[in-house]
Amino acid sequence: MKEFLTSIADKIERGERITSDEALQLTGCDDLLALGALAARANEGRNGARVFFNRNRHINYSNVCINVCAFCAFRRDDQQPGAFCLTPEEVGERAAAAVASGAREVHVVGGLHPEQPFSYYLQMLQAIRRAAAELHIKAFTAVEIDHLSRLSGLPLDKLLNELRAAGLDSLPGGGAEIFAPAVRRQLCPEKISGERWLQIMAAVHDAGLRSNATMLFGHLESWQDRIDHLMQLRELQDQTGGFMAFIPLPYQADNTRLPELRGPGGVEVLKTLAISRLLLDNFDHLKGYWVMLGVKLAQISLAFGVNDLDGTVIEERIGHAAGAASPQALSCDDLLWLIRRAGKQPVERDSLYATVREC
Ligand code: V47
């Protein structure tokens, strides 16, 4: 394995790509620190010691969803206790509160509601825009975009133009889960396929909008499934260049339909992050999403190729419904402390990774 790691290190130095077979071989590497050092080097070549964060706020407009995904502890049926659906005005009020607290971005996602018409979603964007002209609106996963396309009857290009005219600025990376069809059939049988997720992201990028990409891991999938997922993202990124960050999401098991699975341990999380950094050589940013990683592992991930800690987040509900042990929010001071104590240089960014301030 030592020789193999050296050959991978040489390849990376020469700027050559690693293959999916090599990535699969890396999954068998027991020298976690050597693997982490390789990924850290690949990141430093791109980002130096800079680690990004953002002042953002999550807004979940509804937890009512027609899909029943086995991993989701957030969803409810329409009439079930705990079900909620915010009005566009309520979403606008939350956006105004976000701005008042210093946020530059809102991350707006929700379930596929059985009753809300297309106009609800447009009104939501318009209400946010009215409340906060400068706020970056990152909203709707590819899964919601597919739903809106069916609701509106619009083809993707026209739909995306309408959403953009109403205020949409970029898209989050959720809903990708794991692309492998056999796993998807067990995990989220009603959800759009991985192929459709990729097709929608291609249309998003064609429309001139940027997005992120995620991978839900540590449940029923194999290492091969993870590598396949990464390879499909790499291929699309080669074509469009529209992805900003890749965000691996470790499975949180509480209150889900798969509670017997414990999710990945810390070693597996770090290995997955490092291999993602090495394989996704055309992604600028690897995000350590502290909500799902836990704050301390997120800090350690900065030595494994991660260069972005997402942001303040505030009021996260999806991971916490599934037992994520992280706090509801981090302050800017918390983020600065975590990054500095990892020996890195904090940089506050905007949603498209322009530098707001070097801290
Ligand atoms: O798509 C749901 C995941 C995602 C669980 O783009 C779970 O900047 C773990 O996509 N255990 C939503 N994960 C979150 C997301 C995201 C988060 C932060 C930043 C960005 C971005 C995107 O959360 C879902 C799903 O893959 N998820 N349930 C669970 N039990």
Side-chain angles (χ1 to χ4, degrees):
M1 186 49 84
K2 214 168 173 184
E3 273 170 32
F4 176 63
L5 283 184
T6 310
S7 75
I8 295 292
D10 290 346
K11 257 190 134 172
I12 293 166
E13 286 307 318
R14 292 195 299 270
E16 285 173 29
R17 287 200 137 167
I18 64 166
T19 66
S20 56
D21 283 348
E22 287 167 334
L24 199 58
Q25 231 177 308
L26 284 176
T27 67
C29 173
D30 290 332
D31 192 344
L32 180 69
L33 297 183
L35 189 58
L38 262 186
R41 198 159 349 129
N43 169 53
E44 278 154 22
R46 231 177 230 98
N47 297 300
R50 291 154 60 91
V51 172
F52 292 104
F53 70 95
N54 173 5
R55 290 177 201 251
N56 59 352
R57 184 183 183 118
H58 282 216
I59 303 176
N60 297 122
Y61 55 83
S62 177
N63 60 353
V64 177
C65 191
I66 54 178
N67 288 349
V68 186
C69 299
F71 59 80
C72 185
F74 175 67
R75 83 162 289 282
R76 294 287 182 276
D77 286 326
D78 205 356
Q79 302 303 326
Q80 205 180 332
F84 72 89
C85 184
L86 303 180
T87 63
E89 292 69 33
E90 287 170 326
V91 175
E93 284 161 19
R94 279 172 169 68
V99 172
S101 70
R104 298 175 173 277
E105 170 192 290
V106 280
H107 174 139
V108 184
V109 293
L112 307 185
H113 198 283
E115 306 292 342
Q116 293 295 357
F118 179 50
S119 55
Y120 168 76
Y121 299 87
L122 288 178
Q123 284 164 14
M124 187 189 315
L125 291 173
Q126 287 156 353
I128 302 172
R129 190 47 78 227
R130 264 199 311 278
E134 301 294 310
L135 195 64
H136 182 103
I137 307 179
K138 178 174 74 171
F140 307 142
T141 66
V143 179
E144 287 154 285
I145 296 295
D146 177 76
H147 183 65
L148 297 187
S149 168
R150 279 182 281 121
L151 276 182
S152 64
L154 292 172
L156 290 174
D157 54 346
K158 293 215 164 57
L159 170 66
L160 290 163
N161 279 341
E162 278 222 30
L163 295 174
R164 187 150 55 176
L168 180 70
D169 290 309
S170 71
L171 282 87
E177 322 312 358
I178 195 87
F179 295 146
V183 181
R184 226 173 160 84
R185 269 194 293 281
Q186 286 177 269
L187 202 63
C188 45
E190 299 95 355
K191 191 168 254 176
I192 58 168
S193 65
E195 209 177 320
R196 176 72 173 151
W197 189 96
L198 290 160
Q199 185 188 44
I200 288 171
M201 282 306 181
V204 164
H205 300 165
D206 271 358
L209 290 159
R210 308 294 306 272
S211 76
N212 293 328
T214 57
M215 174 175 75
L216 178 66
F217 72 100
H219 43 83
L220 301 169
E221 87 294 359
S222 62
W223 274 112
Q224 179 75 63
D225 294 330
R226 289 182 208 173
I227 303 297
D228 290 346
H229 187 101
L230 295 171
M231 286 303 286
Q232 290 180 66
L233 290 175
R234 186 166 93 171
E235 274 162 34
L236 181 57
Q237 180 74 332
D238 275 344
Q239 290 163 33
T240 69
F243 289 118
M244 296 182 287
F246 177 60
I247 312 155
L249 300 169
Y251 178 60
Q252 318 284 313
D254 289 2
N255 310 314
T256 71
R257 288 176 166 74
L258 295 168
E260 68 285 2
L261 301 176
R262 299 184 55 169
V267 169
E268 197 174 342
V269 169
L270 293 174
K271 217 179 204 186
T272 305
L273 288 166
I275 293 172
S276 302
R277 180 62 286 168
L278 293 170
L279 200 55
L280 294 180
D281 57 356
N282 53 4
F283 276 64
D284 287 337
H285 308 289
L286 179 64
K287 202 183 264 193
Y289 185 44
W290 56 262
V291 170
M292 305 288 189
L293 263 50
V295 172
K296 290 185 179 175
L297 197 57
Q299 187 192 32
I300 294 170
S301 76
L302 300 179
F304 287 76
V306 165
N307 73 307
D308 182 356
L309 285 189
D310 196 86
T312 46
V313 176
I314 308 178
E315 222 194 319
E316 197 283 337
R317 301 176 83 145
I318 298 173
H320 287 99
S326 48
Q328 279 292 334
L330 290 181
S331 66
C332 278
D333 278 351
D334 294 332
L335 288 160
L336 292 175
W337 183 87
L338 287 166
I339 296 168
R340 288 197 182 118
R341 289 297 173 111
K344 304 281 183 178
Q345 188 204 333
V347 179
E348 184 178 341
R349 64 167 174 85
D350 72 9
S351 302
L352 302 176
Y353 287 86
T355 298
V356 172
R357 65 184 171 116
E358 309 258 354
C359 308

